[in-house]
Amino acid sequence: MIESSMAIFVLLGSFFVFILIRFPIAYAVALSSILCLLYQGLPLTTVAQQMVKGISSFSLMAVPFFITMGYLMGSGGISEKLIALANACVGWMRGGMAMVNIVSSYFFGGISGSAAADTASLGSIMIPMMVEQGYDDDFATAVTVTSSCEGLLVPPSHNMVIYATTAGGVSIGSLFLAGYLPAAILAGTLMVGSYIISIKRNYPKGDKFNLLNLFKQIAHSFWALAAVLIVVVGVVGGVFTATESAAIAVFYSLIVSVFIYRGMTWKGVWKVLDQCVNTLSIVLILISTSSIFGFLLTRLNVPSLAAKAILGLTDNTIILALLLNLILLVLGVIMDMAPIILIATPILLPIATSIGISPIQFGIMMILNCGIGLLTPPVGSVLFIGSAVGEVSIERLVKAILPFYLLMIITLLLLTFIPAISLYLPSVFM
């Protein structure tokens, strides 16, 4: 028992030390795992075996395809069309450009699946546009970075694929469907907050609502939005697997970007593929090194020990659900999204299911928790991207985001205590 406890201490203690001294997360995971293996006297060949095993999954083949699809569509000239569509829907309201920003993120999230891509692509257009129309630059940037988290929930999201693979036995199609309503509720709460702030600061309204213009913009955006339909309808309808749908979506995105919208040349395609390889290499390294870490957690019985420890604190399911969210929020402050999903899922999912939280619902909760983490210093990547794009200091931006943090926490609590928000669509269509 003492031997096992010391091995756990070596694994987790060294991991957090490496995190605190700002090691890259993949190195921190790998080195702490190697130290634990050495302490236990296990052969280092286990490292190579588990790394290969971690990425030898058919489901994970969807991840590079979805990343490529997001880059192709994001660079193919569709951002302006989605902004125009959102403007036709909600631009007439007080603070209309903030509403356009939020709704654009919902549409764009279904194409990129990435909060960082959303912030970089839409932010470079929306933030200068909002500032020009009289909005404060910190408010415009805060709206951009917080609404980008909708893209994590709206399918197709490669983070959902990573969660489904890590959780084991969770339907990717059900997860895709489960994200729509939570993302819509997140968008709604952000719009309410933006509307209140816009009234207080007397931000301008847009043009009056025009039904004919709305239909016109829907027609212009049809080819972009159809990519999402191909993936979701194909997977939910059982026409093809998530991996097959992702491959088809990449081919479709290439045709739309180059030949229909003509926002990209063949030279641009090669540049996009280069960006995809860079991103994918990071994701696959994280998955492979986390596989070693997960192997050791399981071997040392950490998930069951953690479950007993947490469940031993109280038998109140409400407090336990809040505690799960608190753990994920704290992890989000010090770690990036993919490592949290890979490391925390095997530990926290059994606790969630023991108090009646469905694996699908917990997956949505985890993704939103991680999304909030992307907006918090010191490692909030989306926060830093927004600061750079909006040319706003981190201090000013965090201050501007404070009311939006509250709105996102409210949305998180709704998802936690009203399971139907996440589970209704999967129960109907799956």
Side-chain angles (χ1 to χ4, degrees):
M1 183 65 183
I2 296 176
E3 186 77 14
S4 177
S5 299
M6 280 302 299
I8 294 172
F9 176 77
V10 170
L11 179 66
L12 298 181
S14 60
F15 172 71
F16 284 111
V17 168
F18 288 135
I19 290 293
L20 290 174
I21 60 178
R22 305 302 294 274
F23 262 62
I25 187 70
Y27 294 152
V29 171
L31 289 173
S32 59
S33 300
I34 290 172
L35 289 176
C36 185
L37 286 170
L38 291 173
Y39 176 81
Q40 293 182 284
L42 296 174
L44 291 181
T45 52
T46 307
V47 174
Q49 292 169 353
Q50 292 301 319
M51 287 182 72
V52 172
K53 183 180 178 181
I55 57 177
S56 296
S57 169
F58 181 76
S59 298
L60 283 179
M61 288 178 65
V63 173
F65 288 125
F66 282 137
I67 290 174
T68 305
M69 169 195 165
Y71 272 109
L72 285 172
M73 296 295 278
S75 304
I78 66 165
S79 300
E80 295 85 353
K81 293 175 177 58
L82 294 179
I83 290 171
L85 175 59
N87 188 41
C89 293
V90 295
W92 51 271
M93 302 171 68
R94 172 68 67 184
M97 290 308 297
M99 310 303 173
V100 170
N101 198 332
I102 294 167
V103 175
S104 297
S105 293
Y106 191 93
F107 292 149
F108 192 82
I111 291 166
S112 71
S114 166
D118 187 317
T119 300
S121 180
L122 293 181
S124 61
I125 302 172
M126 289 299 306
I127 294 173
M129 191 182 297
M130 291 178 69
V131 171
E132 186 178 336
Q133 293 192 19
Y135 294 81
D136 296 314
D137 56 353
D138 57 346
F139 171 77
T141 309
V143 171
T144 300
V145 297
T146 51
S147 63
S148 69
C149 292
E150 298 162 27
L152 303 172
L153 296 167
V154 178
S157 168
H158 65 270
N159 290 297
M160 289 185 178
V161 178
I162 294 173
Y163 170 78
T165 306
T166 308
V170 178
S171 165
I172 295 176
S174 295
L175 274 172
F176 281 177
L177 286 173
Y180 276 116
L181 288 181
I185 290 174
L186 175 61
T189 55
L190 293 177
M191 289 175 73
V192 169
S194 298
Y195 182 75
I196 293 171
I197 294 173
S198 297
I199 290 177
K200 288 184 176 181
R201 300 184 183 180
N202 197 32
Y203 288 145
K205 291 183 179 180
D207 297 330
K208 291 184 178 180
F209 179 75
N210 187 315
L211 187 60
L212 183 62
N213 183 48
L214 175 60
F215 285 126
K216 179 182 176 182
Q217 297 304 331
I218 290 174
H220 287 167
S221 305
F222 171 78
W223 294 106
L225 300 176
V228 182
L229 293 176
I230 290 173
V231 174
V232 177
V233 174
V235 173
V236 172
V239 179
F240 32 65
T241 65
T243 302
E244 292 165 346
S245 72
I248 293 169
V250 169
F251 181 74
Y252 174 85
S253 302
L254 182 64
I255 299 300
V256 170
S257 299
V258 176
F259 296 108
I260 297 179
Y261 288 149
R262 298 183 180 180
M264 185 186 301
T265 63
W266 286 107
K267 185 177 180 180
V269 171
W270 288 110
K271 183 178 180 181
V272 165
L273 292 177
D274 180 60
Q275 294 173 329
C276 291
V277 170
N278 291 335
T279 302
L280 183 59
S281 63
I282 296 170
V283 173
L284 290 181
I285 289 172
L286 283 171
I287 292 173
S288 59
T289 54
S290 296
S291 178
I292 318 167
F293 199 86
F295 164 76
L296 290 169
L297 288 176
T298 304
R299 190 176 188 277
L300 295 170
N301 211 25
V302 172
S304 61
L305 291 174
K308 288 178 182 177
I310 293 175
L311 293 173
L313 295 174
T314 178
D315 58 359
N316 188 311
T317 56
I318 295 176
I319 294 176
L320 288 171
L322 291 173
L323 187 58
L324 289 176
N325 282 318
L326 180 61
I327 292 171
L328 289 170
L329 286 171
V330 171
L331 288 175
V333 172
I334 60 173
M335 293 171 63
D336 209 348
M337 186 168 188
I340 295 175
I341 295 174
L342 292 163
I343 294 170
T345 298
I347 299 174
L348 300 183
L349 181 57
I351 302 171
T353 54
S354 70
I355 60 174
I357 296 177
S358 159
I360 293 173
Q361 180 190 358
F362 181 70
I364 300 300
M365 290 166 52
M366 174 174 275
I367 287 172
L368 181 54
N369 270 298
C370 293
I372 296 172
L374 294 175
L375 309 179
T376 54
V379 295
S381 56
V382 174
L383 182 72
F384 297 130
I385 293 171
S387 173
V389 172
E391 298 180 359
V392 178
S393 68
I394 294 292
E395 293 78 12
R396 286 183 61 215
L397 181 54
V398 170
K399 185 177 179 181
I401 293 176
L402 288 177
F404 295 101
Y405 283 140
L406 177 61
L407 296 170
M408 296 180 81
I409 295 296
I410 290 172
T411 304
L412 179 61
L413 293 176
L414 291 174
L415 299 184
T416 302
F417 297 112
I418 307 178
I421 296 174
S422 302
L423 302 179
Y424 176 71
L425 290 180
S427 67
V428 171
F429 292 102
M430 299 296 290

